[in-house]
Amino acid sequence: MTLLWIALLPLLGVLVPILTVRYGRTACTLATALLPGAALALTLFQIPALTEGQALRFSVGWLPELGLDLALRLDGLTLLFSLLILGIGLLILLYAHFYLHEDEPVGRFYAFMVLFMASMVGIVMANNLILLWLYWELTSLASFLLIGFWTTQSAARKGARMALTVTGAGGLALLAGVLLLGHIAGSFDMDVVLASGKAIAADPRYPAMLVLILLGAFTKSAQFPFQFWLPHAMAAPTPVSAYLHSATMVKAGIFLMARLHPAIGEHALWTVLVSLTGTVTLLYGAWFALFKTDLKSILAFSTVSHLGLITMLLGIGSPMAILAALFHILNHATFKAALFMSAGIIDHEAGTRELKCLGGLRATMPVMALLTSLAAAAMAGVPLFNGFLSKEMLFTETLNTPILAGLSWVIPVLATLGGVLSVAYSLRLAHAVFFKPGRKLPPKHPHEPPRLMRAPVELLVLMCVLVGIFPAFFAGGLLDLATRAVLGEPLDFHLAVWHGFNLPLAMSAIALAGGALMYWRHSDMRQFLQQFNGMDARFVFERGILACKYGSERTVTWLEGNSLQRYMAFLLIATLVSGVIGLVRISELTGALGNQPIDGVVLFGALMLIFGGIATAATHRFRLISLLMLSIVGLFVALTFARYSAPDLALTQLSVEVVTMILLMLALFFLPQRTPRDSSPMRNVRDILLASALGLVIASLNYAVMTRGSVSISDFFINQSVPGGGGHNAVNVILVDFRGFDTLGEITVLALAGLAIFKLLNRLRLFMPHSDVEGRLWSPDRYPAILTSISMALLPLALLVSAFIFLRGHNQPGGGFIAGLITAVALILLYMARGVEWAQHRLDFPFQPVAVAGVATATLTGLGSWLFGQPFLTSAFGHFSLPLIGEFELATALLFDLGVYLAVVGATLMILANLGKVTTPHRPVTESQEHQAESTASTTGKESG
Amino acid sequence: MEALYAITTGILTACGLYLTLRGRTFPVVVGLTLLSYAVNLFLFSMGGLTTHGAVIIDGARDYADPLPQALVLTAIVIGFAMTAFVVILAMRARSEMGNDHVDGKKDDHE
C-alpha cells in the first residue's frame, strides 16, 4: 500500500500548484513541494526493508483481460532513480521559484513539473510492461508541455514539437516491442519477464523485439542517430533542462535498458547494438560540445555524450560494467543538474549564456565560479570528484571487453578519446565563462544570485565532492542495492579512490593532459572546422516534416481536390468496384426461388416509382417541381410497404413523408429556386454513366438476394414475441424490447439532430425573397380560412388517433414512432394554418426539453431493470383488468415507447417550428412595402436567377 | 415481381446518386432523400416480398419477416433526421457564404 502512495502522491500533487497559486508564489512553492516530499520520505522509509532482501511489490488488477495490472515494485534500481527524480525534482522546484519571472504563470509550470515527476516515478516503479509504457508516454506529453512552456517563442514551440515527434515515435516502437516481449515471455508481468531471459533470447522474434525496444530507449535517451532533438529542447526554461535533460527524462531510456537487462541483455545482438551506439553517441556528443558557444548547447551535447557512455557500459553488460553504468547515472545526474542550474543562474544574472559575450565573471560571481568549476571538474573526471571514479571504472571495463573480438582494443582507445574531449569541453566551460577576460560586455551587470537560488547547486556540488572522496560511504550502499536489482544477485565490489598505478589511471592521465592540450589549441581546431558546412539538425528535421506535410496535402488534393463532387465520385467508384467483384463471383443471378407473378397493381406502382425517380432527377434544375416529383416516390414507397405486408412501415413512411416535404419546402423558400446549369456536358455524361452503373449493380444485387432463400434469425423474434415480449406486433416488440438498445441509440441521434439544427438556426442571416422566380408576390392570403378552421377541428382528432395508435402499438400496427409523427404532423398543421406567432402563443414551451425528456424516459426505463438485478433494458409485462375497459396489458416496454414518442415529437417540432420561426421577423411584402424591398430583391434575384 | 422490384430499386438508386453528384446543395439533399428511399426498399426486400403475410402474431401461418421491417422503420426516422440536418446545413451554408455550391465556391458559372 505504501508503494501505491509513493506513486500516487506526486500524481495528486499536480493539482496542488493550480489550487494554491492564488496565495502567492512562496506559498505555492512550499505547498507544491509537500506531496513529492512526502513521497520521497516514504521511499526513504522503505530502505531498511530493501536491504534485507527482495524487492517490494504491490499489485491490483486493472484490465486483467489485456494483461494490464496496476503493479508496482520498489527495488534497488527503483530506489536509485526515485531518489534522483524526487530529490533533484525538489531542488529544481526551489530553483525555479527564483528563476521564473514574476509575471510568468508559476502554477502552470509547477503543475507540469510535478506531472512530469509523477510520470517518471511511475516509469521506475512500474512492475507491468504496459503500465510502464503508459507512464513512458505520459513523460513524453509532460516534456512537450514543459519544453514548449514559453509558448510565444517559435524556438520553444519547434523544439517541443520535435521532442514530441521523436520520443512519441519511439514510444510507438516501444509499445510494439513491449507487446512482442510480453507475447514471447507469456506475460506482461515484469517479474515473469525478467525471469525468462533464456527463453526470450532463444525466441526467433528476439531481433525484431530488441530493435523496437531499443528504438524506444534510444529516442528517449537521445542516442545517435536520434540525438538531434535534445539540443533543440534547450529552448525550454533552464529548470526544465536541468531536470529533464540531466536527471530524468533522458535517463528513462537508460533505465529501461537497465531494467530489462536481465530479460533481453543476454544476447550478442544486444551487446553489439547497444555498446556501439553508445560509443558513437559518446564521441559525437563530446565533439559537438567542444564547438558550441551557447552554454546550454554545450551542456546538451555533453549530456548526449554522457548518455552514450552509460549506454556503452550497459551494452558491455558485465557485472562491473552494470555497476559502473549505475554509478555514472548517479554522478552524471548530480554534476549535470548543478551545471545546468549554474548556466541558468549565469543567464539570469548576466542576461546571456552566449560564450562570446561572457568572460571574467569570477570577479563579480566568485561563489558561482567556484561551484561551476567544481562541477565541471566532476564532469571532466578529475580525481577526487565523483566523475573520476565512474570514468575509471569505464576505462577498466573497456579494457576487459571482448565484444569486437580481434578489434576490441579499439574500444578503450575510443573511450580515452571521449575522455580527452570531455576534459576539453569541461575546461572550456569553466575557463571561458569565469576566468578568460571577456571580449564583450554582457547585457546585464552580473552579480551573485539570491542565496536560496544557489542552494541547490551548492548541495549538488557538495555531493559530487563527498562521493568523490568517500565513495563507499556515500554511494556504496545505494549502488549495492541497485546492482542487486539488475543482476539478481549481490555483487562483491569495493569503491575506492585509489587503485594503484595501472592502465586505467594512465588513460585518465592521458585524458586530462590531452584535454588540456586540446583546449589550448581550441581556436586552431575551430578554424579548421569552419571550412566545413555543418548541417543544422533542425533544418533537416523541419524539411522532413514539411515534405511529409506537402506529400500528404498533395495526396489529399488529388483524392478530393477540395471538391465534394470529386470525392463523391471516388467513393461511388470504390463502391461500384466492390459491388462488381461481389457479383462476378456468383455463378447465376437468379436464385432458386425464382419470380412471383406480376399483377396490375404492382406494375402500376413500379411504373409510378420509376416515373417519380426519373422525373425528380430530370427536373432537378426546377427545384419545386423536382420536390413534387420526389413526393410521388415517397408516397408510392409507402404504398409498396403496404402492398408487401408491412403496415407499420407504411404508416411511418407516410407520416415521415409529410414532415419531410413540409421541411424541404420551407427550406426551399430560403434557397435559390432554380439550379444554374453549371455542370459541363462531359461531367453530366460521366455522372449519368456512373450512377447508371451503380443502379445496375444495386438492381442485380437486390434481385440476386431476393431470389435466394436465406437463414434468418427472424423465427426467434416471431416465436418469442408473445411469450418473451408480451406483444403481438413483432415489429414493435423488436423495436422496444428485443433491439431496444438500438432504438435508444436512434432516438438519441434524432434528439441530437434536433439540437444541432436548433444551434444551426441560431442567428441565421437569410435571404428573404419577396417573390418567387416568376416575380409573383407570395400570396397575400396568408392563412386560408378553410384550412384554419379544419386544422382546429382536426387537432383533437389527430391527438386522439395518435394516442390510439400509441396504445395499441404493442399488439397492432402502430407504436411510439408512428404516434409521435402523427402528433407532430397535427401540430405542424396548426402552425401552417394559423402562423407561427399564433401557434407559439398557444404552445408556449420549448421543444428541446420534450425531446430530452423522451430520451431520458427511455434510458431510465432501461436503467430501471438494474433495480431488479436484470441487465439493461430488460422488459417486464403483466395483464391487468379494470372495470368498463376490461383486461389489458401493461409492459415496461410501453414506458420505453413513451420515451420514443416524446423524443420523436420533440425532435420533429424542434426542427420544423424553429425553421418556421426564422420567417417571422420578415413577412412577405405587401404592395405598399414593395418599393422598400426592391434593394434586397435585387441581390436575391441575382442569387436565384 | 422480384425482377420488377429490383429494377425499380436500381433506377431509384441511379437517380438518387446522379443527384448527389450535382454541385448545388438542394439537388444533393433531394438526391440523398431519393437514395434513402431506394436503400430502404432494398433493405426491406431482404426478408423477401410477402403478399398478404400476417404481421400480428396470432398463431397464423405465413408471417412477413419482422426483422427487416423493424430495421427499415428506424432507418426511415433516422433518414428524416439526417435530411433535416443536411438541408438546414445547406441553408446555413448559403447564409454564411452567399451561394449554395456544395464546396462553398464563390464563382458561379451561370
Side-chain angles (χ1 to χ4, degrees), chain A residues 645 657 684 687 714 760 765, chain B residues 18 22 37 50 65 92 95:
Chain A
S645 330
E657 184 59 28
N684 251 328
D687 290 349
S714 300
L760 275 176
R765 292 178 294 111
Chain B
Y18 171 75
R22 298 301 88 211
Y37 291 151
T50 319
D65 193 341
R92 182 88 204 192
S95 102

Side-chain angles (χ1 to χ4, degrees), chain A residues 562-565 568 572 595-598 606 609-610 613-614 616 620 623 630 633-634 641 643-647 649 652-653 656-657 659-660 663 667 670-672 675-676 678-679 684 687-688 691 694-695 698-699 702-703 705-706 712-714 717-718 722 728 730-731 734-735 746 749-750 756-757 760-762 764-765 767 811 813 817 915 943, chain B residues 1-15 17-27 29-30 33-34 37 40-42 44-46 49-53 55-57 63-70 72-74 76-78 80-85 87-92 94-96 98-103 109-110:
Chain A
N562 286 331
S563 154
L564 186 72
Q565 286 165 281
M568 271 298 292
L572 294 184
N595 271 300
Q596 299 176 40
I598 301 176
L609 277 173
I610 292 169
I614 292 177
T616 310
H620 79 269
R623 294 179 173 181
L630 183 68
V633 183
F641 289 143
R643 168 68 181 75
Y644 294 116
S645 330
L649 285 188
T652 314
Q653 173 69 37
V656 164
E657 184 59 28
V659 181
T660 309
L663 172 81
F670 300 106
L671 290 168
T675 307
D678 56 7
S679 297
N684 251 328
D687 290 349
I688 289 173
L694 267 162
I698 295 292
N702 197 4
Y703 183 68
V705 176
M706 273 192 291
S712 162
I713 55 169
S714 300
F717 296 120
I718 291 171
V722 178
H728 291 272
V731 177
I734 291 175
L735 283 176
E746 196 215 336
V749 171
L750 193 64
I757 286 169
L760 275 176
L761 288 176
N762 195 17
L764 183 63
R765 292 178 294 111
F767 304 88
N811 292 314
F817 275 117
L915 185 53
E943 279 295 329
Chain B
M1 196 151 68
E2 274 76 5
L4 189 61
Y5 190 96
I7 290 168
T8 314
T9 316
I11 288 176
L12 290 184
T13 310
C15 294
L17 288 178
Y18 171 75
L19 287 177
T20 55
L21 286 166
R22 298 301 88 211
R24 302 286 163 158
T25 49
F26 195 78
V29 176
V30 170
T33 315
L34 198 53
Y37 291 151
N40 288 342
L41 285 176
F42 187 98
F44 175 64
S45 72
M46 290 301 105
L49 301 178
T50 319
T51 311
H52 304 307
V55 281
I56 304 304
I57 312 293
Y63 290 110
D65 193 341
L67 191 58
Q69 295 195 19
V72 171
L73 202 153
T74 54
I76 292 172
V77 180
I78 285 267
F80 163 66
M82 288 305 109
T83 306
F85 182 76
V87 80
I88 305 288
L89 199 62
M91 278 172 57
R92 182 88 204 192
R94 188 191 181 206
S95 102
E96 301 283 324
N99 70 79
D100 68 335
H101 197 278
V102 285
D103 302 326
H109 312 287
E110 288 181 34

Side-chain angles (χ1 to χ4, degrees), chain A residues 715-754:
Chain A
D715 289 339
F716 168 81
F717 296 120
I718 291 171
N719 293 330
Q720 289 297 316
S721 180
V722 178
H728 291 272
N729 182 359
V731 177
N732 185 266
V733 174
I734 291 175
L735 283 176
V736 297
D737 194 333
F738 293 131
R739 309 291 305 162
F741 208 21
D742 293 353
T743 310
L744 181 61
E746 196 215 336
I747 57 174
T748 312
V749 171
L750 193 64
L752 281 178

